[in-house]
Amino acid sequence: MLPLIAGLLAIGSAWLLPAHTYPTHGQGLATQFAPGPFESPRQAATDLQALPTRLAKNIPIGPHWLLAELPPPSQPDTSPASVLLIPTATTAPPVCWLLNQQRPDQVTPLAFRLGILGYSAGVPGPTTANQVLCEVQQFIPGTLAIQQWSLPAFSFTSGQHAHAMGMLTGGLLLLIAFIAMVSITTHDHLYVLLAAWMLCNVRLGAWALGWDHFWLEHTLSPPNLIASRKLVVLFAFTLTWLLFSRLFRHSLGARLCRHLQLLGLAGSVLLLAGVLLGSAQALQTIAFFAAWANSALVATILVHALFRVSTRTLFWHTLAVCLAVLLIVIGLVLLALNRLNDIDSAMGVTLFLGCNLLVALATANRTREDRQLRLRQRNELIVHDSLSPLGLFTLSATRHFEHLNPNAREMLAIEDGLQVPALKWRDYFEEIDWVEVSLATEQGRDTEIQLAHRGSGGSSIRSFLLRATLAGSRIEGSLQDVTARSETLRNLRLMTDHDALTNTLNRRGIESAMTAAIEDLQQNGTPCAMSYLSLDHLKRVNDLFGHSAGDQLLQLACDRLRYSLTDQQKVGRIGTDEFIILFPNMRARDARPLAQDMVDSLNGAPFYVGDRSFQVKSAMGLIDLNTDMGPKDAMAAGTRACRDARKQHQDIVLYEENTEALFDHINELRVFEQLEQGTPPEDLYLLMQPIVSLRHPLKMLNFEVLLRVRHKNGHVPQTQKIIQAAEDSGMITAIDKWVVSSTLDWMIKNHDKLHHTQLVNLNLSGVSLNDDRFVDALFSLLNLQPQLSRRLCIEITEGVALQDLERTRQFMRRLQRMGARVALDDFGAGYTSFSYLKELPADTIKIDGSLIRDMLASEANIAIVNSIVDLAHNLGMECIAEWVEDEPTLRALAEMGVDYVQGYVVSPACEPAELLAHENILTLISDPATRTLLEEISGRRA
């Protein structure tokens, strides 16, 4: 609190100084001002007479003339000697003359000299002159005036200012010298900054009080004065943010301190550019910017310091610094606003000395606190060393070891006879930022470092926790060996990516490896093959002999896999008996021989667990990773390839890049992803194949809705494969729901164009019909548009219908109650039993196309189809024949009494828009014989 009291006393003493015996300002003379030049002084005086008078004027850079009126003496011929003063130091020495208006030929030159108050010249008395004419050369824009002083008042004021200047310069230089000696003694760079900052303050104080043209008994010319002011502004700004950010770095924290230093550096660069490029006219603007920028930076620093001090002593010292800086900033602002005359010299010197003294005391106290903190930290290190096996060390300014305790020697494996000063920190560890380490130590955080390798035969990496504190240029620190802990953490991190049973990568680990391989393929074009391996019989082993035997069998299988792989080829377990293997820098066809060797090693020889032997049958799907894949897509493609290998009874199925199988799978994934996201699938679309009524062929235009997949990159995907994959993956219900909703939407949109349409056939998957959620969703869609249900005919495959007769019967009844029709699809293709027909309330039988296509090849085929037609009619059902491809078959079916036909003989599947363009079936048929036949049938029935 003492520094704050001292500052308040300094302010009070400055305000309570006794009044002066003599006035401190001269009498301003009424003056006319005009810019030069003029041909002669007489012409200048003549021209100035016509201008208005004023006491002072702000003038720009350049030559100027002024004519001042001298006041008449109180008693003629008895005027005492006086002094004329031009209170500025930023002009060249003025050239002046005394004039008498009544006697134009009486001209007396005056010799002006630069003094502490400005340029002055004595006027002898008595004198008859009543005017003074001056020519001045201005170097800095400023106020120009001329004053008349009595000789005693001028002498007193000059002496008073000289005394104040001596106090300011002498006091601060003495304090600077003392601080410099302290800096040399303590080797503390903070005192060097403080001394340089106070030296700048000497010049700033002299500038503020108007004395900076004097420096150590030397007078500065106006050009040198301008240059010195620019340098003072630059160095004062830079040293201020350097000093205060260093002084309060502990309160600011490392991050904020770094940001403020960057802002200060940017301001210094801008000031340097202004000093180098700016003219003398911009000096006032530069000073104003420096004052406010410094105010903002220092205010930020001090506000943080006030609220984050650790002791009461530091709080009062910080508050004193705030007061000091506030007073200095006020002085700078007055300087920038050109209000120097508002500052009394004695008060200004006292306040300035007090402010600098406060900052010096705060710096000394802060340094003392830091030294005590370092001593406490060192004592804590010593005490901690006595309680735990820490390694203590001391580093010199050159970062050589000065001291190592026995624990530190043992940690660094330093022999007893080896001299410590010969060892450097970088001989064992990487270079680090010791300021950051020190700040972390003060905040209770450790810094982890690792022992650097020394030679090719070094042991495993050792880890240490480092704590350190700065003691001047030295470093005091401690090391704690945490190698065992680091190794444990490393093993824990490995466990997150590895399977504990087989010591292979787990799903997370192998997905990360696949992601890295795909990114390498995208960025560098590096190929990578992936295999999906499945082991058979493992579940049976677990069930019969227990999981212990199954686990040992897995471990033995993984050992065989690793024996066949290199370090770069990774294997990961993603399921109970499923594995992923990556082959970097290899295409699938190049990796196939290696994959075959692995399958042969697994399948060729039995595995022995205890006294039992087990034979494993493995299959593998091998693919090329693609840039459009993700890890899940790649695993799905591998799964499909492996499944194909099982179906085809092969060891390996290969999907190479750009092959048809891989394209099919990519199309599947794209469709499934669109369906999962709830967006309309871009790759799916609907076609419609006409169904002709053989009873009234020209009065109806019925059709069946067919699902198709769009062509991508010139490849024609097989719709049936995607449907099969959707059934295997559970996505078929989403596809069926999309087909139903899209068909209903299309029918609503084109309702006015479907006058001749009585039946719209829709195929549903057996998987969907056995899914209660899909069935509920289907009837919800139909309930929204009940008028459309009467036109729908839902086709159910015969095999699906016979799986659960009761469920199928309830589903059919529910559809029929809504007005829809039900057809048994593919009738006669499988294990048809006519007895089931009476159990199922179907409306239509759709004869399988394999019976129709070859019907005319034998009399037996004709008899079978004829019997099915008769049976359907006897049961009150209609029948549809599909795959009708020629006119003779069509004629035979018509003679049998078949109700409806569809096939290429009528029309292939076409776009919905094309179907709407025709009013009847004849315009869709390209075969003349078929058209003639249908016209005949239509004529007979008419």
Side-chain angles (χ1 to χ4, degrees):
M1 191 171 180
L2 288 177
L4 182 62
I5 295 175
L8 294 175
L9 289 176
I11 297 173
S13 62
W15 286 103
L16 297 176
L17 286 174
H20 304 304
T21 307
Y22 295 98
T24 58
H25 299 285
Q27 178 183 0
L29 301 182
T31 309
Q32 290 105 350
F33 298 88
F38 290 97
E39 293 181 0
S40 64
R42 188 178 300 279
Q43 180 188 356
T46 303
D47 292 347
L48 285 169
Q49 292 286 348
L51 297 177
T53 62
R54 61 187 69 186
L55 295 178
K57 183 181 180 182
N58 289 322
I59 61 173
I61 297 174
H64 294 272
W65 289 77
L66 56 88
L67 179 65
E69 298 289 336
L70 294 176
S74 56
Q75 296 179 2
D77 301 330
T78 61
S79 60
S82 61
V83 177
L84 293 178
L85 175 67
I86 300 177
T88 182
T90 58
T91 66
V95 180
C96 298
W97 300 270
L98 289 175
L99 305 179
N100 191 321
Q101 286 183 305
Q102 288 74 27
R103 300 177 181 178
D105 56 339
Q106 184 179 345
V107 178
T108 305
L110 289 175
F112 277 78
R113 294 185 305 169
L114 182 61
I116 193 169
L117 298 180
Y119 287 101
S120 62
V123 178
T127 179
T128 59
N130 55 14
Q131 290 180 326
V132 58
L133 176 68
C134 292
E135 180 186 12
V136 296
Q137 178 69 29
Q138 187 76 10
F139 286 94
I140 299 178
T143 302
L144 189 62
I146 186 168
Q147 301 173 355
Q148 186 176 27
W149 292 64
S150 66
L151 187 58
F154 182 80
S155 299
F156 175 81
T157 303
S158 297
Q160 185 188 45
H161 279 251
H163 176 69
M165 184 177 67
M167 286 178 57
L168 175 66
T169 305
L172 286 181
L173 288 181
L174 182 61
L175 187 57
I176 291 170
F178 175 75
I179 293 173
M181 293 178 61
V182 173
S183 174
I184 295 172
T185 305
T186 60
H187 303 285
D188 194 339
H189 298 159
L190 182 61
Y191 285 112
V192 177
L193 275 179
L194 178 62
W197 180 75
M198 294 181 69
L199 185 60
C200 287
N201 281 347
V202 173
R203 299 296 299 159
L204 282 177
W207 185 1
L209 296 171
W211 309 330
D212 60 331
H213 55 283
F214 278 102
W215 176 242
L216 300 178
E217 302 298 330
H218 294 283
T219 303
L220 300 179
S221 63
N224 292 336
L225 178 60
I226 295 171
S228 71
R229 287 183 177 180
K230 290 182 177 181
L231 292 178
V232 165
V233 170
L234 174 63
F235 283 110
F237 177 83
T238 303
L239 291 172
T240 298
W241 66 258
L242 281 174
L243 174 64
F244 283 90
S245 62
R246 175 75 181 278
L247 186 62
F248 296 102
R249 69 181 186 278
H250 301 293
S251 302
L252 295 173
R255 184 177 181 182
L256 180 58
C257 184
R258 188 181 299 110
H259 288 171
L260 289 175
Q261 287 175 345
L262 289 176
L263 287 175
L265 181 60
S268 296
V269 172
L270 292 176
L271 276 179
L272 178 61
V275 167
L276 295 178
L277 304 177
S279 62
Q281 293 177 337
L283 183 57
Q284 185 172 334
T285 303
I286 293 173
F288 191 79
F289 166 78
W292 284 110
N294 249 348
S295 302
L297 285 174
V298 175
T300 302
I301 293 172
L302 292 178
V303 167
H304 275 79
L306 274 176
F307 289 98
R308 299 182 65 178
V309 292
S310 56
T311 64
R312 181 174 297 181
T313 303
L314 284 178
F315 173 79
W316 290 113
H317 277 281
T318 305
L319 194 60
V321 172
C322 293
L323 176 63
V325 171
L326 177 63
L327 295 176
I328 293 175
V329 169
I330 291 174
L332 290 175
V333 171
L334 290 176
L335 170 64
L337 296 177
N338 201 20
R339 299 292 300 274
L340 302 179
N341 293 331
D342 295 344
I343 304 176
D344 182 74
S345 61
M347 180 180 70
V349 168
T350 304
L351 291 179
F352 214 73
L353 285 173
C355 293
N356 283 270
L357 182 60
L358 286 177
V359 175
L361 289 174
T363 303
N365 181 74
R366 189 74 194 201
T367 304
R368 180 178 59 84
E369 291 281 342
D370 289 345
R371 186 176 295 109
Q372 290 177 353
L373 177 61
R374 288 194 294 268
L375 289 175
R376 286 197 301 270
Q377 291 174 344
R378 183 171 184 177
N379 292 335
E380 289 175 1
L381 289 175
I382 295 173
V383 173
H384 197 264
D385 180 51
S386 63
L387 298 177
S388 62
L390 292 181
L392 294 181
F393 65 89
T394 302
L395 293 179
S396 66
T398 59
R399 301 306 178 251
H400 284 75
F401 285 105
E402 290 185 349
H403 170 72
L404 287 167
N405 73 343
N407 287 334
R409 281 178 170 271
E410 182 179 354
M411 291 176 182
L412 302 181
I414 299 175
E415 299 176 359
D416 293 338
L418 192 60
Q419 294 295 324
V420 172
L423 303 177
K424 297 181 181 179
W425 173 265
R426 66 171 178 265
D427 293 337
Y428 298 90
F429 302 101
E430 300 291 338
E431 292 291 343
I432 58 177
D433 187 347
W434 288 105
V435 175
E436 291 286 346
V437 174
S438 176
L439 290 174
T441 301
E442 293 174 7
Q443 297 170 4
R445 294 183 289 108
D446 296 322
T447 303
E448 185 169 352
I449 58 175
Q450 292 181 334
L451 188 64
H453 287 290
R454 293 184 297 162
S456 59
S459 60
S460 60
I461 297 177
R462 300 180 64 189
S463 299
F464 297 90
L465 292 183
L466 171 65
R467 287 196 171 198
T469 181
L470 301 177
S473 60
R474 291 180 174 84
I475 296 172
E476 303 284 349
S478 69
L479 293 171
Q480 182 181 357
D481 193 341
V482 291
T483 303
R485 189 190 73 174
S486 299
E487 184 67 19
T488 302
L489 292 175
R490 189 182 71 84
N491 291 334
L492 288 175
R493 284 191 290 267
L494 285 176
M495 289 174 62
T496 61
D497 290 335
H498 283 72
D499 179 57
L501 176 62
T502 60
N503 198 27
T504 61
L505 293 174
N506 57 17
R507 177 181 287 270
R508 180 177 181 272
I510 199 66
E511 285 184 354
S512 299
M514 276 193 286
T515 301
I518 293 172
E519 290 177 353
D520 194 18
L521 175 62
Q522 293 170 342
Q523 298 172 4
N524 306 316
T526 306
C528 183
M530 188 208 82
S531 70
Y532 185 99
L533 175 67
S534 175
L535 303 178
D536 270 354
H537 311 315
L538 183 63
K539 184 177 184 301
R540 188 178 63 183
V541 172
N542 287 331
D543 294 340
L544 294 177
F545 304 102
H547 286 277
S548 177
D551 292 346
Q552 294 182 54
L553 180 60
L554 272 177
Q555 292 170 346
L556 293 173
C558 290
D559 290 340
R560 289 191 187 181
L561 288 177
R562 279 192 291 266
Y563 182 77
S564 303
L565 298 174
T566 64
D567 294 338
Q568 289 75 30
Q569 295 162 351
K570 302 181 183 302
V571 57
R573 181 186 177 202
I574 62 171
T576 303
D577 53 2
E578 298 162 332
F579 297 86
I580 293 291
I581 305 168
L582 294 179
F583 303 93
N585 295 312
M586 298 180 71
R587 297 205 175 271
R589 62 177 178 272
D590 300 325
R592 177 159 190 159
L594 182 58
Q596 188 66 53
D597 289 343
M598 286 189 289
V599 173
D600 292 342
S601 68
L602 293 173
N603 298 347
F607 294 89
Y608 291 94
V609 178
D611 56 353
R612 295 187 179 91
S613 66
F614 299 96
Q615 189 70 42
V616 172
K617 178 64 175 175
S618 62
M620 182 181 291
L622 188 61
I623 69 167
D624 276 316
L625 293 183
N626 190 285
T627 55
D628 297 329
M629 288 181 173
K632 293 182 180 179
D633 301 332
M635 284 193 288
T639 303
R640 175 171 173 175
C642 185
R643 185 174 63 244
D644 289 346
R646 293 287 189 197
K647 291 180 179 178
Q648 300 170 18
H649 303 289
Q650 297 181 14
D651 291 338
I652 298 175
V653 165
L654 172 63
Y655 285 177
E656 288 189 275
E657 190 176 8
N658 300 325
T659 59
E660 181 179 351
L662 189 57
F663 271 123
D664 287 343
H665 181 68
I666 291 174
N667 287 330
E668 295 167 12
L669 294 177
R670 182 167 50 247
V671 171
F672 297 165
E673 182 179 0
Q674 293 168 355
L675 291 171
E676 286 177 346
Q677 293 175 351
T679 58
E682 298 177 357
D683 298 331
L684 296 182
Y685 65 101
L686 299 177
L687 292 181
M688 296 173 181
Q689 187 174 27
I691 300 176
V692 178
S693 170
L694 293 182
R695 296 184 181 277
H696 305 285
L698 302 184
K699 293 182 179 180
M700 299 182 190
L701 188 57
N702 303 328
F703 54 87
E704 180 182 359
V705 177
L706 302 177
L707 178 68
R708 292 292 184 266
V709 183
R710 297 189 189 279
H711 301 178
K712 292 290 184 181
N713 302 322
H715 173 69
V716 182
Q718 297 184 16
T719 303
Q720 191 57 39
K721 286 187 176 181
I722 290 186
I723 293 176
Q724 182 61 45
E727 290 181 345
D728 293 339
S729 63
M731 291 300 299
I732 190 64
T733 56
I735 293 178
D736 281 346
K737 184 178 178 181
W738 178 82
V739 170
V740 173
S741 61
S742 298
T743 301
L744 294 177
D745 291 343
W746 182 83
M747 292 175 65
I748 295 171
K749 183 178 179 181
N750 300 283
H751 176 73
D752 296 338
K753 301 178 182 179
L754 298 175
H755 300 297
H756 300 290
T757 301
Q758 295 182 1
L759 288 179
V760 177
N761 286 31
L762 286 173
N763 251 302
L764 297 181
S765 167
V767 176
S768 298
L769 294 178
N770 289 317
D771 188 327
D772 291 335
R773 289 180 298 179
F774 170 78
V775 172
D776 293 339
L778 171 64
F779 284 105
S780 296
L781 289 173
L782 296 178
N783 285 327
L784 294 176
Q785 303 295 336
Q787 74 278 8
L788 300 180
S789 301
R790 292 187 295 273
R791 292 187 178 185
L792 292 181
C793 180
I794 305 300
E795 298 183 5
I796 302 175
T797 304
E798 176 196 8
V800 174
L802 298 181
Q803 289 178 3
D804 188 343
L805 280 174
E806 183 59 30
R807 180 183 179 90
T808 304
R809 185 186 301 111
Q810 293 177 2
F811 178 72
M812 288 180 173
R813 295 294 188 194
R814 191 174 177 184
L815 282 173
Q816 290 168 342
R817 283 195 297 269
M818 298 190 69
R821 299 167 62 86
V822 180
L824 286 177
D825 195 14
D826 298 336
F827 188 84
Y831 41 84
T832 301
S833 176
F834 291 162
S835 63
Y836 287 126
L837 289 178
K838 65 181 181 181
E839 302 292 337
L840 298 175
D843 299 290
T844 305
I845 290 177
K846 195 168 187 178
I847 306 172
D848 185 68
S850 62
L851 297 175
I852 303 299
R853 182 174 53 191
D854 301 325
M855 184 183 70
L856 299 182
S858 67
E859 292 296 330
N861 291 344
I862 295 175
I864 292 173
V865 173
N866 199 14
S867 65
I868 293 175
V869 174
D870 291 340
L871 177 64
H873 289 163
N874 290 333
L875 294 175
M877 302 178 187
E878 295 181 327
C879 58
I880 302 175
E882 59 181 354
W883 292 14
V884 183
E885 298 181 354
D886 53 55
E887 188 269 342
T889 302
L890 176 62
R891 184 177 294 274
L893 292 171
E895 292 173 354
M896 290 180 188
V898 172
D899 300 290
Y900 299 94
V901 296
Q902 72 179 108
Y904 282 176
V905 69
V906 177
S907 172
C910 58
E911 294 284 345
E914 182 181 355
L915 185 70
L916 292 175
H918 301 274
E919 293 187 358
N920 59 56
I921 195 64
L922 286 180
T923 56
L924 279 167
I925 299 173
S926 58
D927 180 35
T930 301
R931 285 202 301 269
T932 301
L933 176 60
L934 292 180
E935 287 175 347
E936 292 177 1
I937 295 173
S938 178
R940 291 199 302 267
R941 297 293 166 86

